[in-house]
Amino acid sequence: PSWFYHGTSCRFICPNCNPWTVKAVYRAVATDVLLFGNVANESASGVVVKRPRLSNIVIAIVLITGGWQFGQGVYIYAKAELAQYLLVAAWQETKQTQQPVKPWSWADTWPVARIEVPTHNIDLIVLAGDSGRTLAFGPGLHLASAKPGEIGNSIISAHRDTHFEFLQYLSAGDEIIVENLLGIKKVFTVSDTHVVDSRVTQIPIDYDNAALTLVTCFPFNTITTGGPLRFVVVAVESGNSIHGQLV
């Protein structure tokens, strides 16, 4: 997803959030101290003129760029975390009314499921759709895939640096709990994790049983955005279920 949809949406959720102020201060301080710190030359008129050293310019560029990247990372993470609190409230209301409830008035999505991974302390609300705007706030269900917990493959995707960062730590045998709109919880067991090239690989939708596929970009822990590689976690239903309990 582009930063174009991140820039303004945060202010609707968090009016006091202004990352640009932080970045402006960082840039001003770095420029003043590093470029003009203690380098001075006397001009022909006798006036002392501070001139930047080349090494200081290079350091300033590195720090400013690093500060910009850090600010963007904090901005995305803070917005993703705040959104989940609002999504929990919308999820509870959606279950009570059995009607789609938007987490905020201008949202074009709504909660459709909840996923938990107890061994990694993960508890996330899943949204309808997997557009860039939706994934900025939480995991999204591919609408052409099966509803979570039903027969078929439910494909859920999210960003590798926020909600689905934990995927890199999953392994075969780990359990994922999925709750649907009726409050029915089902346990899925991870059967496989692998990396695919999205340009040549398609994830199947039709399954004879209930399956769950979690997808995020790859590799993890990088500031480079985009790319064709995807990290895929495949899980299959591992047991029967009843309302609100697991058996």
Side-chain angles (χ1 to χ4, degrees):
S2 168
W3 266 94
F4 291 111
Y5 14 95
H6 297 327
T8 57
S9 57
C10 181
R11 289 170 177 75
F12 287 91
I13 298 177
C14 178
N16 296 323
C17 180
N18 190 355
W20 308 114
T21 300
V22 176
K23 294 170 185 174
V25 172
Y26 190 100
R27 189 183 303 112
V29 171
T31 301
D32 186 55
V33 174
L34 293 175
L35 292 187
F36 303 104
N38 59 3
V39 183
N41 296 98
E42 186 172 343
S43 66
S45 62
V47 177
V48 175
V49 179
K50 293 182 177 180
R51 302 183 185 279
R53 289 192 302 236
L54 179 60
S55 60
N56 286 347
I57 294 176
V58 173
I59 294 173
I61 292 173
V62 170
L63 287 179
I64 291 172
T65 303
W68 177 268
Q69 294 289 347
F70 177 77
Q72 287 183 330
V74 171
Y75 181 42
I76 292 178
Y77 183 81
K79 182 168 66 173
E81 288 294 306
L82 176 59
Q84 279 294 310
Y85 287 104
L86 301 177
L87 294 178
V88 168
W91 168 247
Q92 296 298 338
E93 188 175 350
T94 296
K95 289 198 300 179
Q96 291 173 1
T97 63
Q98 291 298 297
Q99 297 294 327
V101 176
K102 295 181 178 181
W104 41 87
S105 61
W106 51 269
D108 55 2
T109 185
W110 54 91
V112 294
R114 185 174 192 164
I115 58 175
E116 300 173 71
V117 186
T119 55
H120 295 278
N121 197 30
I122 298 298
D123 188 347
L124 296 169
I125 303 300
V126 180
L127 295 168
D130 53 2
S131 67
R133 181 188 294 273
T134 297
L135 298 188
F137 300 105
L141 173 69
H142 185 57
L143 294 179
S145 65
K147 294 180 180 180
E150 296 186 358
I151 298 299
N153 190 17
S154 301
I155 303 173
I156 300 174
S157 57
H159 288 311
R160 63 186 164 188
D161 53 356
T162 52
H163 300 106
F164 272 6
E165 181 184 18
F166 76 95
L167 292 193
Q168 61 187 305
Y169 305 115
L170 291 181
S171 57
D174 285 341
E175 292 186 339
I176 302 172
I177 302 172
V178 177
E179 181 182 4
N180 66 14
L181 294 174
L182 298 176
I184 299 175
K185 297 181 179 180
K186 293 188 176 183
V187 179
F188 290 79
T189 302
V190 175
S191 60
D192 182 40
T193 63
H194 56 276
V195 177
V196 301
D197 188 329
S198 61
R199 296 169 298 185
V200 296
T201 304
Q202 291 186 335
I203 299 175
I205 294 176
D206 296 327
Y207 275 61
D208 294 332
N209 55 357
L212 179 68
T213 300
L214 308 180
V215 184
T216 194
C217 290
F218 187 84
F220 294 96
N221 305 315
T222 178
I223 61 173
T224 304
T225 59
L229 300 181
R230 300 293 181 267
F231 187 81
V232 179
V233 175
V234 179
V236 294
E237 187 179 357
S238 57
N240 297 320
S241 62
I242 59 175
H243 287 265
Q245 297 182 4
L246 305 174
V247 295

